[in-house]
Every structure is written in structure tokens, then in C-alpha cells.
């Protein structure tokens, strides 16, 4: 296999972006970057070897004649050349999934090499201004994006999408100014694929909107966990009361002009202290549950705040004439919102 690396220089990658030999070397750096970002426990030498050799079968007569054998022949040639079994399997798996419903990689080496390859293709194509439009997708970027998402989910990988996109663009030598524009474009393209996938799986559209409302969350595995938990919750008996209370809290939080710390000494009504105590207790449990991606437990903690929230609104005039009191009450509601909206923006849920 290794003796075919030189021949890859004769195979063009994309216009202005070098050849497949260049891509192979780039993939070695990309898989290292991904392994570090995901904190994957993987044999570094075998991972890099897989990335380096994964495209070598493109210059073999069999693959030139039968392109659908990409990866299959790479695996067999690697075995014949005495490469490690993990490398041979990784070469095959990095092409997966090849179509909707296809098998997914089963090893970290196959997953990481596959993500790196597909992300490199997507970033390269976007950098040339050739993003898919309408029904036109000549480079099959939508399929590759879905492949990345499914691999991330199947591997239970938690990673910042923005960072790995920026890393892929860096390895392609895309100028910093262009990278700044391309990262959000590619991330939005990926999020749209995630949105469609979730709705195809039966997740309510408003639940998807609620979860994706947090533009800063670019961990797709986390987002899917949130969507599934919230989708189950909105069908429960507790959902309407929490959604109503959370929406009321969120609406008042829009009146916050500047953030301020909560000062319990400014509480003038018993309901303020009660809500504050309930929120502080819930926030501790929410933090523990969220670190485990247990969003059903997070929502259960939010439900505990419904009665204190309702009592607060019954007894307290938030927009008090005393600016200090008003701001303190708004600060309290902001802390409550952090809990009620910890899984997603409940105010967009349709009841």
C-alpha cells in the first residue's frame, strides 16, 4: 500500500487544493486533531497509518475499474501487505456509511478517519464556494454530513463542531479571514442536517427548535440527548405547567438591561426567598445531571420550581419602583431561567 502513496500525486483532489497525496498527509494531522478533541483512547501509530494509507487503493486497477470497491480493496491490499488488522479494517471503515442506512464504522480508528475524510471534503468544497444549493449536491456533501453526525452519535463522541471545522480549514490552508466566514456557514449546514435527521426520527419540530436555539452548543451528541429527553417530557402531564411558568420567566428576563448578582438582603416578600432557595437547590442537581447528559433528570429538577415560580408571580411585583429591588428580582428570574431552560428554550414549545 505504501508504495502507492507516490502515485496519489497524479490523482487530483479538488481544484486549487492539491492532490490525493496532499490529502493523505492532511488526514494524518486531522485524525490526531480529532483524537485529541474527542479524547479518544486509540493507538496513535495505527490511527495515523490508517489515515496515510486510506486512499491508496484509488490508484489500483481494480478500483479504477470498479469505483464501488473503494475501501474494500484497500482493506484487502493492506492485509496482503502485512499492515496491522486494525489499519486494514480502518481503511475499509473510513468510507462508511456509503449510503442511507449503510453500516457504520465499528472502531475508533475507522470512525476518526471517516470523520476526518468527510469533514475535509465538506470544508474543501465550501472553501471553493460550491456549497449545495436546492437539489444540487454534486459532491454528496449532505450525505457526508449525515455520515459524520451518525458516526459521532454512534461513537458517543462529544466534540465542538466549530473547533473541528476550523481545524479542518486550517489544514487546508484557508486564510483566516475566509475561515471566520466559513465556520458558521459549514456549522449551519451541519445543523440543518441534524435538524432534518431528528424530525425524521419523530422528534417534534418545536422540540428541535428549542434545543437548537442555543447557538453556542455545537456538540451534536449532546444536542441529540437533549432533544430526545425534551421530546419525551413534552408528552408528560408535568409539561404544560413548566412550559407556562418557564415562558413567563423568559419573557420577564427580556427586560434585563444589565446582569447583576442576587442580593438576598433585598428580598421583601417571602416568595422571593422561597424561589431563591428552590433555585439554588435545583441548580446543584442540574449541574450534576447535565455533566452526565441526563436531561430527563434536569427537567425533573425544573419541574420542582413550578410551584415556587407561580407563588412568586402571585405575590411579587417584579418591576418595582425601587430600581435595586427590580433588578434583584430580575436577577433571581435569570437564575431560574438557567434551570427551566437548561435543556432547551421552552418558550418555543407549542402547547
Amino acid at each position: 500500500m505504501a508504495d502507492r502513496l507516490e502515485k496519489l500525486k497524479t490523482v487530483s483532489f479538488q481544484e486549487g487544493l492539491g492532490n490525493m497525496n496532499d490529502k493523505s498527509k492532511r488526514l494524518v494531522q486531522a485524525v490526531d486533531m480529532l483524537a485529541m478533541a474527542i479524547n479518544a483512547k486509540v493507538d496513535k501509530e495505527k490511527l495515523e497509518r490508517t489515515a496515510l494509507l486510506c486512499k491508496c487503493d484509488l490508484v489500483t486497477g481494480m478500483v479504477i475499474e470498479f469505483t464501488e470497491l473503494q475501501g474494500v480493496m484497500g482493506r484487502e491490499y493492506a492485509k496482503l501487505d502485512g499492515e496491522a488488522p486494525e489499519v486494514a479494517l480502518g481503511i475499509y471503515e473510513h468510507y462508511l456509511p456509503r449510503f442511507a442506512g449503510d453500516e457504520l464504522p465499528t472502531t475508533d480508528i475507522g470512525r476518526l478517519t471517516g470523520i476526518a475524510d468527510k469533514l475535509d471534503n465538506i470544508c474543501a468544497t465550501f472553501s471553493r464556494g460550491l456549497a449545495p444549493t436546492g437539489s444540487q449536491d454534486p459532491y454528496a456533501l449532505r450525505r457526508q454530513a449525515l455520515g459524520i453526525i451518525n458516526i459521532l452519535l454512534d461513537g458517543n463522541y462529544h466534540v465542538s463542531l466549530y473547533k473541528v471545522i476550523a481545524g479542518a480549514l486550517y489544514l487546508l490552508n484557508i486564510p483566516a479571514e475566509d475561515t471566520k466566514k466559513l465556520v458558521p456557514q459549514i456549522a449551519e449546514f451541519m445543523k440543518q442536517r441534524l435538524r432534518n435527521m431528528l424530525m425524521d426520527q419523530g422528534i417534534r419540530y418545536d422540540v428541535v427548535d428549542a434545543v437548537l436555539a442555543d447557538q453556542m452548543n455545537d456538540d451534536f451528541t449532546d444536542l441529540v440527548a437533549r432533544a430526545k429527553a425534551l421530546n419525551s417530557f413534552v408528552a408528560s402531564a408535568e409539561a404544560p405547567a413548566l412550559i407556562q411558568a418557564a415562558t413567563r420567566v423568559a419573557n420577564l428576563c427580556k427586560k434585563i438591561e444589565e446582569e447583576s448578582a442576587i442580593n438576598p438582603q433585598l428580598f421583601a416578600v417571602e416568595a422571593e426567598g422561597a424561589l431563591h432557595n428552590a433555585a439554588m437547590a435545583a441548580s446543584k442537581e442540574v449541574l450534576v445531571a447535565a455533566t452526565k447528559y441526563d436531561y430527563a433528570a434536569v427537567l425533573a429538577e425544573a419541574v420542582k420550581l413550578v410551584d415556587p415560580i407561580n407563588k412568586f408571580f402571585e405575590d411579587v411585583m417584579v418591576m418595582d419602583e425601587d430600581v435595586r429591588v427590580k433588578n434583584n428580582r430580575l436577577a433571581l428570574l435569570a437564575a431560574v431561567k438557567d434551570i427551566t431552560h437548561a435543556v432547551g428554550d421552552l418558550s418555543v414549545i407549542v402547547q
Side-chain angles (χ1 to χ4, degrees), residues 110 141 165 179 208 213 223:
L141 299 191
I165 291 172
T179 293
V208 176
L223 289 169

Side-chain angles (χ1 to χ4, degrees), residues 5 8 10 28 31 73 92 109 116 120-121 128 136 139 148 155 167 176 215 246 263 271 276 297 299 318 329:
L5 273 172
L8 285 177
T10 65
V28 173
V31 293
M73 295 312 302
Y92 166 71
I109 288 177
D120 184 76
N121 291 339
R128 295 173 58 211
Q136 301 299 310
Y139 294 93
I148 291 173
Q215 296 295 317
N263 182 359
H276 180 254
L299 288 163
V318 176
R329 288 170 178 171

Side-chain angles (χ1 to χ4, degrees), residues 122-129 131 165-166 169 174-189:
I122 292 170
C123 289
T125 308
F126 266 77
S127 74
R128 295 173 58 211
I165 291 172
L169 290 167
I174 305 302
E177 287 187 9
D178 293 338
T179 293
K180 191 178 295 185
K181 298 175 184 177
L182 286 167
V183 169
Q185 289 177 19
I186 297 170
E188 182 56 35
F189 170 73

Side-chain angles (χ1 to χ4, degrees), residues 246-319:
T247 300
R248 196 171 179 186
V249 168
N251 287 337
L252 271 166
C253 284
K254 294 175 183 177
K255 299 181 183 295
I256 297 175
E257 296 177 358
E258 60 180 66
E259 293 184 8
S260 59
I262 301 170
N263 182 359
Q265 293 183 345
L266 290 176
F267 293 160
V269 181
E270 184 178 343
E272 291 179 272
L275 179 56
H276 180 254
N277 291 338
M280 293 305 100
S283 66
K284 294 177 183 177
E285 299 301 324
V286 164
L287 183 61
V288 172
T291 57
K292 300 176 182 177
Y293 306 103
D294 184 357
Y295 293 112
V298 171
L299 288 163
E301 289 300 321
V303 167
K304 295 178 182 178
L305 297 185
V306 171
D307 288 342
I309 290 172
N310 290 339
K311 182 63 174 172
F312 175 86
F313 284 128
E314 286 176 14
D315 297 353
V316 176
M317 174 63 70
V318 176
M319 306 306 286

Side-chain angles (χ1 to χ4, degrees), residues 54-121:
C54 67
K55 298 300 180 184
C56 285
D57 64 351
L58 294 179
V59 293
T60 63
M62 186 67 77
V63 172
I64 291 172
E65 186 71 22
F66 304 101
T67 56
E68 67 273 15
L69 293 179
Q70 292 176 18
V72 175
M73 295 312 302
R75 176 185 59 194
E76 300 309 313
Y77 286 129
K79 288 179 181 178
L80 290 172
D81 285 357
E83 297 291 343
E86 297 92 335
V87 172
L89 180 58
I91 289 172
Y92 166 71
E93 288 192 330
H94 98 280
Y95 279 109
L96 304 177
R98 295 156 296 190
F99 48 83
D102 192 19
E103 62 180 316
L104 295 172
T106 60
T107 65
D108 284 329
I109 288 177
R111 292 184 186 117
L112 294 173
T113 308
I115 292 171
D117 177 37
K118 294 170 180 61
L119 189 60
D120 184 76
N121 291 339

Side-chain angles (χ1 to χ4, degrees), residues 8-268:
L8 285 177
K9 291 181 179 179
T10 65
V11 181
S12 177
F13 171 49
Q14 289 196 33
E15 185 179 346
L17 295 173
N19 53 56
M20 294 304 290
N21 180 281
D22 299 322
K23 178 181 173 77
S24 297
K25 294 175 182 176
R26 193 164 58 244
L27 288 181
V28 173
Q29 296 176 278
V31 293
D32 281 341
M33 175 191 71
L34 279 169
M36 185 177 298
I38 294 170
N39 195 27
K41 303 297 186 289
V42 62
D43 186 307
K44 186 175 187 291
E45 184 177 343
K46 291 175 181 175
L47 175 63
E48 291 179 348
R49 187 69 175 169
T50 302
L52 183 66
L53 301 180
C54 67
K55 298 300 180 184
C56 285
D57 64 351
L58 294 179
V59 293
T60 63
M62 186 67 77
V63 172
I64 291 172
E65 186 71 22
F66 304 101
T67 56
E68 67 273 15
L69 293 179
Q70 292 176 18
V72 175
M73 295 312 302
R75 176 185 59 194
E76 300 309 313
Y77 286 129
K79 288 179 181 178
L80 290 172
D81 285 357
E83 297 291 343
E86 297 92 335
V87 172
L89 180 58
I91 289 172
Y92 166 71
E93 288 192 330
H94 98 280
Y95 279 109
L96 304 177
R98 295 156 296 190
F99 48 83
D102 192 19
E103 62 180 316
L104 295 172
T106 60
T107 65
D108 284 329
I109 288 177
R111 292 184 186 117
L112 294 173
T113 308
I115 292 171
D117 177 37
K118 294 170 180 61
L119 189 60
D120 184 76
N121 291 339
I122 292 170
C123 289
T125 308
F126 266 77
S127 74
R128 295 173 58 211
L130 298 175
T133 56
S135 61
Q136 301 299 310
D137 188 11
Y139 294 93
L141 299 191
R142 294 188 180 101
R143 175 179 60 78
Q144 293 186 71
L146 272 174
I148 291 173
I149 294 169
N150 281 311
I151 293 170
L152 288 171
L153 298 178
D154 191 61
N156 195 32
Y157 292 155
H158 291 276
V159 64
S160 166
L161 182 67
Y162 298 142
K163 289 182 180 178
V164 296
I165 291 172
L169 290 167
Y170 172 79
L171 293 177
L172 282 160
N173 292 318
I174 305 302
E177 287 187 9
D178 293 338
T179 293
K180 191 178 295 185
K181 298 175 184 177
L182 286 167
V183 169
Q185 289 177 19
I186 297 170
E188 182 56 35
F189 170 73
M190 297 284 290
K191 281 193 174 183
Q192 190 58 48
R193 308 284 76 71
L194 177 64
R195 178 187 298 277
N196 294 343
M197 186 193 80
L198 288 171
M199 289 194 290
D200 286 345
Q201 292 178 356
I203 304 294
R204 286 173 39 162
Y205 79 91
D206 53 346
V207 168
V208 176
D209 288 342
V211 169
L212 296 185
D214 182 2
Q215 296 295 317
M216 298 305 294
N217 190 346
D218 60 343
D219 176 350
F220 278 20
T221 303
D222 177 74
L223 289 169
V224 170
R226 290 169 183 266
K228 289 181 176 179
L230 186 54
N231 200 59
S232 295
F233 175 77
V234 294
S236 70
E238 295 91 350
L242 175 59
I243 293 169
Q244 184 177 28
T247 300
R248 196 171 179 186
V249 168
N251 287 337
L252 271 166
C253 284
K254 294 175 183 177
K255 299 181 183 295
I256 297 175
E257 296 177 358
E258 60 180 66
E259 293 184 8
S260 59
I262 301 170
N263 182 359
Q265 293 183 345
L266 290 176
F267 293 160

